[in-house]
């Protein structure tokens, strides 16, 4: 065990077990879960059994442990981003039909951008984003749009840290980053050619709610050879449409059984 | 308190708290959570505090409790339906562009159909389905397709129960239901005019994986005045495409940071 788990609550341990799962690790043997969560095997086994009994985890045919559908259901049916996603989805589909490649919706979570939706074509340009995946604020077009509109406190915090370079084009100098953020606030668009991968161009615009508050970033990922100007108007039009949709009075939903 | 919570584990209580949230109840005062979860207020308060500390719940500006984005993230990034959803999404988009109204993807969970994806047009015909919402197997086109391909044990279980009628068209007679299930297995399509709402026509086909196992139902919800035959070929073509996609060897994803 890498660190002691004495005194930790059951919930804390259960959360540590859930945190072991990610897009690259969806089916994990019990021993690996114990190791990664830094918990004794017996504790892990007992907690996994209980999480399986509740459907929050499940065991597959190879006795590996996976996230259970019940956990996804509990998290999704009252999802905090449901209204935003519902309002945005028709515009994301339209944008995707025109632009192709990748269209995505990201929100600020902690000090990163968390992607809550992504539409992709098979064979589209490389894109490291995944639904429920995260990217650092300074390196992605969505992240830069969110950072440019974030609190001065968060901006200072990010600017004080080392800024990881993914390619020769990633902004890693705080002074340059500060200037870019000011420019994004003025132009309302972030254009990031090859910031995360040499072949991919990210373009993002802010999504505002009816009150004018930036609640998300709408972005497209296209080949670096594309002219950004050929995508920006479509992105901006979609952002306007979503803002209008978010401002609509809510029609009561039909009763569920 | 409607029932005693003595002897229950912390996890069981936490799950009961999460279960209080649904699409119609996304922001709930603490007292209501305690009442609905049948837990003492002090226990509820302590558990909610801990869930908030982990980001699994959050308190809004009115001190009401909501599902936290972290819970959605943990459940979604290794979601058990991610591969199915990724394979299906381009075909769902194409189908939605042609059919309009609603296109949806549902899986069998317990003894109900759980919808994992839905694309909708503003102004489309009424549809009670929601993402992460459920419907009974006997009343919905997706449910009938899943039930027709489910184990004989589950079929018997559903056929032995009272079958709730939502409209005059819902199948509520077990003998009729058994005949309809046999017909669906033969034709490969369920056509349900006005089964849940008089104005809506549900049409569903099974989604098979590369091994021929039914893993989901693909459906459209259109106005009852539509000719089902005008939608079935497009649905079947999409189901074929998704099956082909599910059978493709998986290309390793680019490394995430």
């Amino acid at each position: 065990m890498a660190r002691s788990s004495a005194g930790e609550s059951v919930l804390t341990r259960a959360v540590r077990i859930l945190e072991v799962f990610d897009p690259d690790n969806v089916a994990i043997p019990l021993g690996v879960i114990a190791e990664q969560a830094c918990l004794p095997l017996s504790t892990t086994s007992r907690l996994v059994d209980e999480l399986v009994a509740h459907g929050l985890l499940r065991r597959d045919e190879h006795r590996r442990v996976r996230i259970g559908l019940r956990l996804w259901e509990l998290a999704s049916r009252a999802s905090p981003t449901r209204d935003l996603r519902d309002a945005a989805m028709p515009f994301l589909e339209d944008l995707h039909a025109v632009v192709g490649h990748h269209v995505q919706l990201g929100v600020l979570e902690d000090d990163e951008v968390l992607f809550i939706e992504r539409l992709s074509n098979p064979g589209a340009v490389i894109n490291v984003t995944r639904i429920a995946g995260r990217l650092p604020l300074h390196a992605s077009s969505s992240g830069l749009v969110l950072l440019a509109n974030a609190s001065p406190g968060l901006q200072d915090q990010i600017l004080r840290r080392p800024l990881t370079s993914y390619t020769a084009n990633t902004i890693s100098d705080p002074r340059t980053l500060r200037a870019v953020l000011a420019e994004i606030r003025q132009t309302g668009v972030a254009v990031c050619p090859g910031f995360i991968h040499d072949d991919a161009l990210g373009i993002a615009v802010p999504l505002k709610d009816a009150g004018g508050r930036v609640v998300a970033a709408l972005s497209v990922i296209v080949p670096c050879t594309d002219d950004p100007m050929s995508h920006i108007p479509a992105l901006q039009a979609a952002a306007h449409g979503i803002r209008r949709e978010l401002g609509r009075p809510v029609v009561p939903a039909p009763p569920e059984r």
Side-chain angles (χ1 to χ4, degrees), chain A:
Chain A
M1 261 174 49
R3 62 182 167 114
S4 163
S5 58
E8 270 182 352
S9 78
V10 170
L11 271 180
T12 300
R13 291 172 184 188
V15 169
R16 279 237 298 284
I17 289 175
L18 295 180
E19 284 175 341
V20 171
F21 295 85
D22 66 32
D24 296 315
N25 297 285
V26 299
I28 315 181
L30 191 68
V32 177
I33 295 178
E35 197 185 303
Q36 300 273 318
C38 304
L39 291 171
L41 190 59
S42 56
T43 308
T44 309
S45 175
R46 192 166 31 81
L47 277 173
V48 165
D49 279 348
E50 213 187 328
L51 289 164
V52 168
H54 287 295
L56 305 189
L57 294 177
R58 73 175 178 87
R59 281 208 178 74
D60 67 16
E61 59 271 36
H62 307 293
R63 300 277 303 162
R64 291 172 309 186
V65 181
R66 292 171 178 262
I67 293 289
L69 204 45
R70 181 78 180 140
L71 181 64
W72 176 84
E73 182 184 9
L74 287 175
S76 302
R77 64 184 191 176
S79 160
T81 58
R82 196 193 54 180
D83 290 348
L84 173 61
R85 197 258 185 203
D86 285 354
M89 203 59 183
F91 297 94
L92 259 70
E93 283 183 75
D94 293 346
L95 194 59
H96 190 223
V98 175
V99 175
H101 295 282
H102 312 277
V103 173
Q104 49 201 28
L105 191 61
V107 297
L108 184 66
E109 174 74 355
D110 308 324
D111 54 359
E112 293 176 303
V113 47
L114 174 67
F115 290 94
I116 60 169
E117 192 51 79
R118 166 183 146 172
L119 297 176
S120 294
N121 278 359
V125 68
I126 189 164
N127 179 6
V128 296
T129 306
R130 287 156 164 172
I131 293 176
R134 291 175 176 235
L135 282 177
L137 292 174
H138 75 282
S140 59
S141 60
S142 299
L144 285 170
V145 157
L146 294 170
L147 186 58
N149 292 283
S151 68
L154 180 62
Q155 293 186 18
D156 288 343
Q157 187 188 321
I158 299 292
L159 284 157
R160 270 198 306 267
R161 282 190 212 160
L163 301 167
T164 309
S165 285
Y166 296 86
T167 68
N169 299 314
T170 316
I171 302 170
S172 54
D173 169 56
R175 206 176 310 190
T176 312
L177 180 55
R178 201 178 278 281
V180 166
L181 295 178
E183 196 187 326
I184 291 170
R185 277 190 296 274
Q186 214 192 334
T187 60
V189 58
V191 178
C192 305
F195 277 27
I196 293 183
H197 190 285
D198 284 328
D199 297 342
L201 163 65
I203 311 169
V205 298
L207 268 191
K208 294 178 182 173
D209 63 13
R213 203 172 58 100
V214 174
V215 291
L218 177 68
S219 61
V220 296
I221 309 295
V222 293
C224 244
T225 46
D226 276 23
D227 174 8
M229 277 315 297
S230 66
H231 299 302
I232 293 171
L235 256 176
Q236 288 174 325
H240 275 279
I242 297 167
R243 180 177 181 171
R244 187 179 61 241
E245 205 57 43
L246 285 172
R248 242 177 240 266
V250 176
V251 181
E256 234 173 353
R257 99 205 141 78

